């Protein structure tokens, strides 16, 4: 789960990573309450789960109350890379001598943490890698979950970091690494890590992505999960323990299946046959007819969906439960076309129930056969 | 002799007293797997389906000379249970649970390597040597004995493949669910040498998917070390970037790392037969025969 900057700032605070203190506002009324108490000039920053907000005008500065309200309101109305700005984070404006980059993330190849540092920050890391590769260090941290000081010293020397910044930087590294390990991070990033005119290091931005599977260890963050999910269908599906994934706006086909691999394969086959999948829903294992009914309702009500391909390979999932769910949902699906492939546990019982149903439903035997039938239906 | 599990496997089930543990112990026993003991801390001295239960892996190993463990424990407890098994000197540890924190696997992956333990999974259906033994929850009736070895990141794609294989008259030597997580205990390159050495395996099927670089690493290994024909399937060619497709590991990063194209290209370049679909795997198998 990618945290918004102000939430990530709370994580940083827990590890005593030096940064500015800020306030949060989600409406003009809240801005009005904050306005008189600000120590101007201040920075107003859009809180969105995407990069490039600076370029999009999502970070602005205000010198007085009037400017604060004008600009704050403007940013609150923005949409940046498809993300609606619902909150702004207000921080004192800081004078910047220079900007650096520091992060810890997971290297999938070695299955180890990696520290990435550049004394030239402020822009996207890929840009640094392209323009100044000699100013970028990627250091793998070997097994044992300990960040030894010599790794940090090596990174500092390699990139030519000024001696007077070294002690502070060492502390920053250790603290950010502690946050990365302690908070189950996929990514903990400071960009920019600034040097102010007094030579003090400060985290001016905070980016934290926490492993969804470890959120139970961080109960203070768990409640934000729904708030961080902008798609209402995804939220509703999650409340039933389904995984709903929007694929693309183009196309009218939805897939319901019982496993991640099968879903990917089904999308691949349909796409190969020049059709478009707009969304998918993963039932997981062992879905009951009541839950299948809810899954069908959720998918059928999604915009653009006119055909649902139910592709089930039942191990712990029983085909008769799937058929029972289809039976229960049939009356409420409107014009939605159903194409159903059942294989595995209790296939016969499932099929005999489906065959007795009336409505816009077609039964197919096999995945390839199902996709071929889908082609006929969609073109018809 | 199958290389991971066989008739001489002496299996313990960690979490045997739980609902899933008990249900699948019954299934494994029905498949004639030699389940010698169960372990649930605090439940030592009891019995499940006639199988004795102990408090610790050490005691179960000592009394029954167990050589393999399968973990039917929830993801929250996977780290503790796998750590105990590895530190107790269990040579083969098979993990099942979906939803294990990645930092837990980060530690376990390297600990197992350091101790010389084979760690399989998690987010996996386990391991089966058809007709001999199974350790996991796979729908075993789909599998049949034969000379094709399979390792798969996905359970459902593997089911589909073995189902089509059975129809076409093919069977399997050993089938391993490497699992759908970002950091598995064992990856394709950890298992390829064993398939190459295994006398019962003549062909190798590798069911991969988007995310990470295990397939690229496998390609480099195959080029230098594998003489048996390899067939690969990469699922997720049309998945959107930056979106996890359900398996925690199945994600193409926004800069394109982990894409299906990169994997298929690397595999094709070293002579691996890249299948377009599960059905296509069967077509290729028929051609190789």
């Amino acid at each position: 789960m990618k945290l918004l900057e102000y939430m990530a700032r709370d994580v940083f605070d827990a590890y005593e990573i030096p940064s500015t203190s800020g306030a949060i506002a989600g409406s003009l009324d809240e801005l009005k309450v904050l306005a008189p108490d600000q120590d101007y000039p201040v920075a107003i920053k859009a809180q969105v789960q995407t990069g490039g907000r600076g370029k999009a005008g999502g970070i602005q500065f205000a010198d007085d109350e009037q400017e604060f309200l004008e600009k704050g309101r403007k940013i609150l109305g923005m949409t940046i890379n498809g993300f609606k700005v619902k909150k702004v984070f207000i921080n004192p404006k800081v004078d910047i001598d220079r900007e650096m980059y520091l992060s810890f993330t997971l290297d999938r190849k070695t299955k180890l943490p990696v520290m990435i540092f550049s004394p030239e920050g402020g822009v996207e890391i890929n840009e640094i890698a392209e323009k100044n590769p000699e100013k970028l260090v990627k250091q793998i941290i070997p097994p044992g979950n300990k960040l030894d000081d010599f790794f940090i010293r090596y990174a500092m020397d390699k990139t030519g970091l000024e001696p007077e910044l070294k002690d502070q930087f060492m502390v920053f590294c250790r603290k950010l690494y502690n946050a990365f390990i302690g908070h189950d991070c996929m990514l903990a990033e400071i960009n920019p890590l600034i040097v102010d005119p007094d030579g003090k290091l400060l985290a001016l931005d905070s980016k934290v992505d926490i492993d969804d599977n470890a959120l139970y260890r961080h109960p203070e963050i768990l409640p934000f999960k729904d708030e961080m999910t902008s798609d209402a269908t995804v939220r509703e599906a999650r409340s039933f323990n389904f995984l709903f994934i929007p694929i693309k706006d183009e196309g009218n086909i939805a897939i319901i299946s019982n496993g991640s691999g099968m879903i990917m394969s089904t999308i691949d086959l349909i796409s190969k046959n020049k059709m478009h999948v707009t969304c998918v829903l993963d039932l997981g294992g062992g879905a009951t007819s009541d839950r299948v009914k809810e899954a069908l309702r959720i998918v059928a009500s999604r915009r653009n969906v006119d055909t649902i391909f139910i592709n089930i390979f039942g191990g712990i999932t029983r085909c008769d439960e799937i058929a029972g769910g289809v039976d229960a949902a049939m009356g409420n699906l409107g014009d939605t076309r159903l194409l159903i492939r059942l294989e595995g546990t209790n296939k016969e019982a499932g099929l005999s129930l489906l065959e007795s149903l009336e409505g816009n439903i077609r039964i197919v035997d096999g995945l390839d056969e199902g996709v071929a039938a889908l082609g006929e239906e969609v073109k018809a | 002799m199958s290389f991971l599990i066989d008739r001489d496997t002496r299996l313990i089930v960690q979490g045997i007293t739980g609902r899933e543990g008990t249900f699948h112990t019954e299934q494994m026993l029905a498949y004639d797997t030699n389940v010698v003991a169960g372990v649930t801390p605090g439940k030592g001295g009891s019995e499940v389906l006639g199988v004795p239960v102990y408090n610790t892996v050490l005691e179960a190993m000592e009394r029954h000379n167990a050589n393999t463990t399968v973990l039917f424990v929830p993801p929250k407890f996977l780290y503790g249970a796998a750590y105990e098994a590895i530190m107790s000197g269990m040579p083969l540890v098979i993990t099942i649970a979906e939803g294990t924190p990645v930092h837990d696997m980060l530690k376990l992956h390297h600990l197992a390597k350091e101790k010389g333990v084979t760690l399989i999974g998690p987010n996996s259906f386990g391991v089966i040597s058809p007709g001999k033994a199974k350790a996991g929850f796979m729908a075993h009736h789909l599998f049949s004995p034969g000379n094709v070895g399979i390792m798969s990141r996905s359970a459902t794609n593997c089911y589909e493949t073995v189902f089509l294989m059975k129809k076409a008259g093919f069977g399997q030597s050993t089938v391993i669910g490497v699992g759908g997580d970002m950091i598995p205990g064992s990856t394709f390159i950890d298992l390829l040498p064993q398939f190459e050495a295994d006398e019962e395996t003549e062909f190798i099927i590798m069911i991969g998917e988007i995310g990470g670089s295990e397939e690229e690493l496998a390609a480099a290994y195959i080029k230098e070390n594998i003489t048996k024909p390899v067939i690969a399937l990469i699922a997720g060619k049309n998945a959107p970037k930056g979106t996890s497709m359900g398996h925690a590991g199945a994600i193409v990063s926004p800069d394109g790392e982990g894409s299906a194209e990169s994997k298929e290209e690397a595999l094709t370049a070293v002579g691996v037969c890249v299948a377009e679909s599960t059905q296509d795997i069967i077509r290729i198998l028929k051609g190789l025969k």
Side-chain angles (χ1 to χ4, degrees):
Chain A
M1 175 174 146
K2 289 192 179 89
L3 303 188
L4 293 175
E5 179 192 9
Y6 78 95
M7 298 173 186
R9 187 65 61 86
D10 286 343
V11 175
F12 279 17
D13 285 348
Y15 295 88
E16 297 175 338
I17 294 169
S19 58
T20 52
S21 58
I24 195 85
S27 65
L28 184 58
D29 285 344
E30 287 176 20
L31 286 169
K32 280 178 183 162
V33 174
L34 292 171
D37 299 329
Q38 296 304 310
D39 189 8
Y40 295 100
V42 295
I44 309 166
K45 305 199 272 184
Q47 298 297 288
V48 277
Q49 286 171 298
T50 175
R53 63 179 172 171
K55 277 182 197 155
I59 301 176
Q60 298 194 31
F61 302 101
D63 287 326
D64 54 47
E65 279 188 46
Q66 197 197 339
E67 209 180 359
F68 176 77
L69 292 176
E70 266 169 34
K71 290 185 168 172
R73 188 168 67 172
K74 203 174 140 208
I75 296 176
L76 276 173
M78 284 181 171
T79 298
I80 300 174
N81 297 336
F83 290 87
K84 219 177 147 338
V85 180
K86 291 181 182 155
K87 281 178 177 154
V88 289
F89 192 33
I90 300 135
N91 280 243
K93 188 179 178 206
V94 177
D95 291 324
I96 300 171
D97 232 26
R98 53 184 279 215
E99 299 177 308
M100 310 197 289
Y101 176 97
L102 177 65
S103 73
F104 288 92
T105 186
L106 282 173
D107 179 59
R108 286 187 67 173
K109 213 172 240 174
T110 55
K111 292 150 191 72
L112 287 166
V114 57
M115 173 173 103
I116 305 175
F117 169 64
S118 174
E120 316 270 331
V123 293
E124 295 282 320
I125 185 68
N126 297 339
E127 217 170 297
I128 304 171
E130 263 171 46
K131 288 183 184 156
N132 281 320
E134 75 287 352
K135 290 279 183 192
L136 184 80
V137 176
K138 287 190 180 186
Q139 178 59 50
I140 300 282
I141 315 300
N145 274 23
K146 183 169 170 290
L147 177 66
D148 287 301
D149 284 350
F150 51 79
F151 287 123
I152 308 173
R153 288 202 295 271
Y154 171 84
M156 295 191 295
D157 290 347
K158 186 100 176 167
T159 53
L161 188 71
E162 292 84 334
E164 61 271 22
L165 297 177
K166 284 185 171 176
D167 286 349
Q168 279 189 76
F169 181 73
M170 191 80 108
V171 174
F172 247 90
C173 270
R174 288 190 205 124
K175 286 180 173 172
L176 189 62
Y177 181 73
N178 289 343
F180 174 76
I181 296 291
H183 256 69
D184 286 288
C185 295
M186 309 300 290
L187 171 73
E189 181 187 82
I190 308 174
N191 189 24
L193 166 59
I194 64 127
V195 186
D196 76 5
D198 300 326
K200 207 169 148 259
L201 293 190
L202 216 53
L204 217 55
D205 190 4
S206 41
K207 201 184 267 182
V208 167
D209 184 353
I210 297 183
D211 178 11
D212 283 346
N213 289 335
L215 282 176
Y216 73 89
R217 295 202 274 236
H218 310 287
E220 78 284 5
I221 289 163
L222 203 51
F224 293 110
K225 190 163 179 182
D226 270 346
E227 192 185 320
M228 292 294 90
T229 310
S230 54
D231 191 314
T233 316
V234 174
R235 283 199 304 269
E236 196 190 358
R238 189 191 290 147
S239 72
F240 290 97
N241 234 341
F242 300 136
L243 177 66
F244 179 91
I245 309 173
I247 304 297
K248 51 176 154 181
D249 289 333
E250 210 181 338
N252 309 94
I253 300 168
I255 301 168
I256 294 179
S257 190
N258 60 324
S260 167
M262 183 67 95
I263 281 187
M264 287 191 278
S265 291
T266 312
I267 301 173
D268 289 346
L269 259 184
I270 293 173
S271 305
K272 195 179 144 228
N273 285 277
K274 312 253 179 307
M275 293 177 281
H276 301 287
V277 176
T278 183
C279 61
V280 299
L281 183 142
D282 189 345
L283 295 166
T288 57
S289 58
D290 285 350
R291 298 184 67 236
V292 173
K293 180 188 163 194
E294 296 298 337
L296 273 162
R297 178 184 59 75
I298 292 168
V299 171
S301 63
R302 178 75 174 183
R303 61 175 184 273
N304 298 344
V305 172
D306 65 16
T307 305
I308 303 175
F309 181 24
I310 304 175
N311 181 22
I312 301 296
F313 203 115
I316 34 177
T317 303
R318 284 167 40 191
C319 293
D320 55 326
E321 291 285 342
I322 302 288
V326 173
D327 182 15
M330 278 303 272
N332 304 312
L333 298 181
D335 297 335
T336 313
R337 189 159 37 193
L338 294 186
L339 197 75
I340 309 180
R341 180 260 178 143
L342 297 180
E343 194 55 67
T345 312
N346 293 1
K347 175 183 178 180
E348 280 65 34
L351 286 181
S352 72
L353 174 54
L354 287 183
E355 277 155 9
S356 71
L357 299 181
E358 285 180 25
N360 204 344
I361 173 171
R362 178 167 170 183
I363 303 162
V364 289
D365 193 15
L367 173 55
D368 285 44
E369 293 78 358
V371 173
L374 199 55
E376 291 165 19
E377 295 287 336
V378 169
K379 274 156 206 151
Chain B
M1 275 300 286
S2 301
F3 61 88
L4 283 185
I5 62 169
D6 204 325
R7 291 197 180 89
D8 66 350
T9 290
R10 303 175 65 79
L11 181 71
I12 68 169
V13 180
Q14 287 177 258
I16 193 169
T17 53
R19 197 169 59 99
E20 297 289 312
T22 303
F23 178 77
H24 290 292
T25 298
E26 193 174 6
Q27 297 286 310
M28 292 187 287
L29 286 167
Y31 203 64
D32 277 343
T33 308
N34 189 15
V35 182
V36 295
V39 172
T40 302
K43 299 270 174 74
S46 59
E47 262 190 15
V48 172
L49 305 162
V51 175
V53 180
Y54 301 96
N55 286 326
T56 61
V57 173
L58 273 177
E59 189 178 354
M61 287 177 76
E62 191 179 276
R63 292 196 185 226
H64 298 277
N65 198 19
N67 57 12
T68 303
T69 178
V70 61
L71 276 60
F72 282 100
V73 301
K76 275 185 196 185
F77 303 119
L78 188 139
Y79 178 79
Y83 180 83
E84 179 182 346
I86 294 169
M87 296 309 281
S88 301
M90 186 64 88
L92 176 57
V93 179
I94 298 167
T95 60
I96 303 295
E98 177 176 2
T100 306
V102 71
H103 279 263
D104 290 357
M105 282 314 298
L106 182 83
K107 292 183 216 160
L108 289 172
H109 174 91
H110 296 285
L111 181 71
K113 286 251 148 81
E114 185 195 319
K115 302 288 178 195
V117 170
T118 302
L119 177 66
I120 303 286
N123 200 356
S124 150
F125 59 46
V127 180
I128 181 168
S129 299
K132 296 171 176 169
K134 72 172 216 173
F137 69 80
M138 70 290 289
H140 54 251
H141 62 273
L142 296 169
F143 297 78
S144 42
N147 59 2
V148 183
I150 304 181
M151 25 182 199
S152 179
R153 284 171 69 182
S154 147
T156 41
N157 277 331
C158 187
Y159 285 170
E160 182 84 43
T161 302
V162 296
F163 167 76
L164 295 172
M165 282 174 76
K166 196 173 206 170
K167 271 188 167 174
F170 296 100
Q172 303 85 35
S173 51
T174 293
V175 182
I176 304 169
V178 297
D181 273 6
M182 204 167 257
I183 302 185
S186 296
T187 62
F188 293 139
I189 49 168
D190 298 319
L191 300 165
L192 275 166
Q194 307 193 59
F195 277 113
E196 175 72 9
D198 180 33
E199 285 176 2
E200 295 182 3
T201 300
E202 284 180 45
F203 306 93
I204 303 167
I205 297 177
M206 196 166 91
I207 302 175
E209 58 196 34
I210 50 168
S213 33
E214 299 312 328
E215 292 81 1
E216 286 89 337
L217 294 170
Y221 184 87
I222 289 167
K223 184 177 183 219
E224 301 296 330
N225 304 289
I226 302 295
T227 59
K228 296 177 182 176
V230 182
I231 304 171
L233 173 72
I234 308 295
K237 295 178 201 48
N238 299 90
K241 277 184 188 172
T243 305
S244 169
M245 292 303 288
H247 285 161
I251 178 168
V252 179
S253 70
D255 63 12
E257 192 208 328
S259 74
E261 292 74 33
S262 151
K263 295 171 189 302
E264 292 193 341
E265 209 171 282
L267 290 163
T268 306
V270 299
V272 170
C273 308
V274 176
E276 287 191 5
S277 63
T278 38
Q279 187 68 58
D280 200 31
I281 292 178
I282 309 304
R283 184 189 61 78
I284 296 171
L285 260 182
K286 284 181 178 162
L288 289 172
K289 271 270 165 172

